[in-house]
């Protein structure tokens, strides 16, 4: 066996695991929030979890591994995260993650990428409506500045914890509220 073959074998054999638990990612990890148009079933959560780990294990940026994770919130939101202190993402690696989400959409017959859907809480219930319906609810004052909304525009793990689930007055949703 030539020296280069031996090196490649060892490189594959000792390849570092790139998936890490979401809670172990640094707070400045970059995130992408995908909101489903319905609640995931228990079987779908299992499928998403298995496929997400597999995707993250092979996720790269120009051949360099990316260290990442995912979490599912309220059985309705998929969060994909990457530790950019390990390696930055690129356009190609972001495109790969979008293709992964599109595959989930096709397989599970679910919409995860419609940015015109808006979600908010009504007590313990999470409602997802079209943006136009949200605007109508706001005009009718069925949604107020205190209504808890989901700001899916968050960009870091820290923002998921502090700026994702907030009163409408503290989010981009505020522009639709009646003063």
């Amino acid at each position: 066996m030539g020296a280069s073959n031996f090196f490649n074998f060892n490189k594959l054999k000792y390849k570092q695991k790139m998936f890490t638990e979401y809670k172990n990612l640094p707070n400045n990890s970059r995130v992408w929030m995908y909101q489903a148009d319905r609640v995931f079933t228990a079987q779908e959560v299992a499928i998403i979890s298995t496929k997400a780990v597999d995707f993250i294990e092979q996720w790269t940026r120009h051949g360099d591994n990316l260290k990442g994770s995912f979490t599912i919130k309220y059985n309705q939101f998929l969060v994909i995260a990457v530790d950019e202190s390990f390696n930055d993402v690129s356009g190609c690696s972001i495109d790969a993650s979008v293709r992964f989400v599109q595959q989930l959409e096709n397989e599970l017959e679910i919409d995860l990428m419609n940015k015109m859907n808006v979600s908010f809480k009504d007590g313990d219930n999470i409602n997802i409506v079209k943006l136009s319906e949200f605007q109508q609810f706001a005009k009718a004052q069925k949604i107020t500045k205190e209504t808890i909304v989901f700001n899916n525009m968050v960009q870091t793990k820290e923002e998921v914890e502090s700026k994702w689930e907030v009163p409408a007055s503290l989010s981009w949703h505020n522009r639709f509220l009646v003063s």
Side-chain angles (χ1 to χ4, degrees), residues 45-174:
V45 168
I47 290 168
I48 293 167
S49 298
T50 299
K51 290 183 178 286
V53 170
D54 291 345
F55 168 74
I56 291 164
E57 283 295 334
Q58 58 79 36
W59 198 13
T60 62
R61 180 211 63 177
H62 303 294
D64 294 328
N65 292 330
L66 292 172
K67 186 175 186 178
S69 192
F70 77 98
T71 190
I72 297 172
K73 299 216 177 250
Y74 295 109
N75 286 339
Q76 199 158 352
F77 299 88
L78 171 63
V79 182
I80 297 177
V82 66
D83 177 358
E84 287 193 300
S85 66
F86 183 82
N87 269 326
D88 288 337
V89 293
S90 67
C92 294
S93 54
I94 293 169
D95 289 348
S97 69
V98 169
R99 283 190 301 276
F100 164 69
V101 172
Q102 289 171 329
Q103 290 169 351
L104 289 176
E105 284 184 314
N106 290 333
E107 182 175 339
L108 302 176
E109 297 179 359
I110 196 163
D111 185 352
L112 290 163
M113 298 183 64
N114 187 344
K115 302 299 183 198
M116 296 306 287
N117 286 338
V118 179
S119 53
F120 63 95
K121 278 189 169 180
D122 177 17
D124 289 336
N125 297 319
I126 296 174
N127 297 295
I128 296 190
V129 297
K130 304 253 180 263
L131 180 59
S132 59
E133 290 175 273
F134 183 86
Q135 290 170 313
Q136 290 171 1
F137 290 154
K139 282 181 188 173
Q141 296 186 352
K142 293 179 181 176
I143 293 176
T144 67
K145 63 183 179 178
E146 292 86 20
T147 301
I148 300 299
V149 296
F150 295 90
N151 176 10
N152 296 325
M153 306 291 282
V154 292
Q155 296 185 11
T156 65
K157 180 183 170 194
E158 182 175 30
E159 287 180 353
V160 170
E161 302 306 317
S162 63
K163 296 181 180 178
W164 174 58
E165 191 174 340
V166 295
S169 62
L170 300 178
S171 178
W172 63 267
H173 302 81
N174 187 46

